[in-house]
Amino acid sequence: MPLGIPKVPFQEQAPLLEGTLSKTRDARNLHIDFFFTIFIEPYASKDACTAPKGSIFILINRLYRQRLLFLGEEIDNEISNNIIGIMVFLALEDYTKDQYLFLNCPGGGIIPGISIYDTIQFVTPDVHTVDVGLAASMGSFLLLGGTITKRMAYPHARVMMHQPSTCFIPDSHQTMEFVIEMNELAKMRDAIVEVYVQRTGKPDWMIYQDLERDIFMSATEAQEYGIIDLIAVN
């Protein structure tokens, strides 16, 4: 599992499971089948456990079932797709239960990160974002994107924000491609600034100025800036 979450063995009695799945396929059961097929079975290790007779062992992430999601590494397409799929499924299963996204993230791709941000805004449940270590670059953008009044950080967590960048290095034959990429990057930068303005209440000129360089903040400073609402305490 790319999200770095421990998988906890969960036991189901075979007759009970088979009886449940053999019932009339209403919408809820279809969602359950989809979840088991996409998010549980592919992550079962061949030697993860030994199944005695009469029982079926399914490796299931119990934290996901409690609406607890973790992002603990650099964001790429695979991780983004996994988080989006789980959030959408949990929202379809029960839209009345809040979801929690715990962040210890050094950043990552712009498009995968914005995809997670848009999903947070799309799903019906409120999404709590929690900075447990470092929320840097796109990680700070996701921290910012949680439901307002439900964004928090641990007391010693850090936040870092800066402008988007590209690794495109042009040569004499790639001038046009470089110009196109720079234009696209400028559009993404404007979109990111607009989100910061809307969700922090800061003027756009201040956001543009602050994004020009790496800015590290403590939890208290991030709260004053408007990136988070609360500092987690006992």
Side-chain angles (χ1 to χ4, degrees), residues 11-94:
Q11 181 176 359
E12 283 281 3
Q13 296 299 321
L16 177 61
L17 180 62
E18 292 170 1
T20 301
L21 298 180
S22 63
K23 291 181 180 179
T24 303
R25 300 290 182 167
D26 57 12
R28 181 178 178 84
N29 284 340
L30 287 176
H31 293 322
I32 293 174
D33 288 348
F34 173 80
F35 180 81
F36 271 70
T37 301
I38 302 300
F39 298 112
I40 300 173
E41 294 177 355
Y43 304 122
S45 174
K46 292 181 180 179
D47 56 352
C49 58
T50 303
K53 290 183 179 181
S55 298
I56 295 177
F57 281 86
I58 299 174
L59 280 180
I60 182 172
N61 194 317
R62 295 294 298 274
L63 295 174
Y64 286 166
R65 307 303 296 152
Q66 299 299 320
R67 270 70 183 165
L68 306 178
L69 290 81
F70 290 74
L71 177 56
E73 57 186 284
E74 186 173 338
I75 304 168
D76 58 22
N77 288 326
E78 182 181 6
I79 292 173
S80 175
N81 290 338
N82 275 304
I83 292 179
I84 290 171
I86 294 169
M87 291 181 69
V88 171
F89 167 77
L90 294 176
L92 290 173
E93 185 185 52
D94 191 340

Side-chain angles (χ1 to χ4, degrees), residues 144-155:
L144 177 85
T147 302
I148 294 178
T149 73
K150 297 182 178 181
R151 306 167 299 180
M152 68 180 70
Y154 285 2

Side-chain angles (χ1 to χ4, degrees), residues 4-202:
I5 306 305
K7 276 75 72 176
V8 181
F10 182 78
Q11 181 176 359
E12 283 281 3
Q13 296 299 321
L16 177 61
L17 180 62
E18 292 170 1
T20 301
L21 298 180
S22 63
K23 291 181 180 179
T24 303
R25 300 290 182 167
D26 57 12
R28 181 178 178 84
N29 284 340
L30 287 176
H31 293 322
I32 293 174
D33 288 348
F34 173 80
F35 180 81
F36 271 70
T37 301
I38 302 300
F39 298 112
I40 300 173
E41 294 177 355
Y43 304 122
S45 174
K46 292 181 180 179
D47 56 352
C49 58
T50 303
K53 290 183 179 181
S55 298
I56 295 177
F57 281 86
I58 299 174
L59 280 180
I60 182 172
N61 194 317
R62 295 294 298 274
L63 295 174
Y64 286 166
R65 307 303 296 152
Q66 299 299 320
R67 270 70 183 165
L68 306 178
L69 290 81
F70 290 74
L71 177 56
E73 57 186 284
E74 186 173 338
I75 304 168
D76 58 22
N77 288 326
E78 182 181 6
I79 292 173
S80 175
N81 290 338
N82 275 304
I83 292 179
I84 290 171
I86 294 169
M87 291 181 69
V88 171
F89 167 77
L90 294 176
L92 290 173
E93 185 185 52
D94 191 340
Y95 65 87
T96 64
K97 293 183 178 180
D98 290 1
Q99 298 181 19
Y100 296 79
L101 178 60
F102 293 86
L103 298 163
N104 188 13
C105 174
I110 298 175
I111 299 300
I114 289 181
S115 298
I116 298 175
Y117 171 85
D118 286 341
T119 303
I120 293 174
Q121 312 311 312
F122 169 76
V123 295
T124 304
D126 289 346
V127 178
H128 303 242
T129 51
V130 185
D131 180 7
V132 299
L134 173 66
S137 187
M138 188 52 65
S140 68
F141 186 74
L142 294 180
L143 178 64
L144 177 85
T147 302
I148 294 178
T149 73
K150 297 182 178 181
R151 306 167 299 180
M152 68 180 70
Y154 285 2
H156 297 98
R158 305 292 291 177
V159 176
M160 190 273 279
M161 55 184 285
H162 63 189
Q163 65 181 343
S165 61
T166 178
C167 60
F168 192 98
I169 302 176
D171 58 27
S172 59
H173 301 289
Q174 296 178 305
T175 303
M176 183 56 66
E177 288 81 358
F178 177 72
V179 171
I180 292 173
E181 181 156 336
M182 287 299 97
N183 288 336
E184 184 65 21
L185 186 64
K187 293 177 183 177
M188 299 305 298
R189 182 172 183 264
D190 291 341
I192 289 173
V193 167
E194 183 178 354
V195 172
Y196 272 99
V197 169
Q198 292 175 351
R199 303 184 72 84
T200 64
K202 302 291 185 183

Side-chain angles (χ1 to χ4, degrees), residues 135-137 140 159-163 196 206-207 210-211 213-217 225 227:
S137 187
S140 68
V159 176
M160 190 273 279
M161 55 184 285
H162 63 189
Q163 65 181 343
Y196 272 99
M206 180 181 293
I207 301 297
D210 291 341
L211 289 180
R213 61 193 185 281
D214 293 354
I215 295 184
F216 287 87
M217 306 179 194
Y225 200 91
I227 294 177

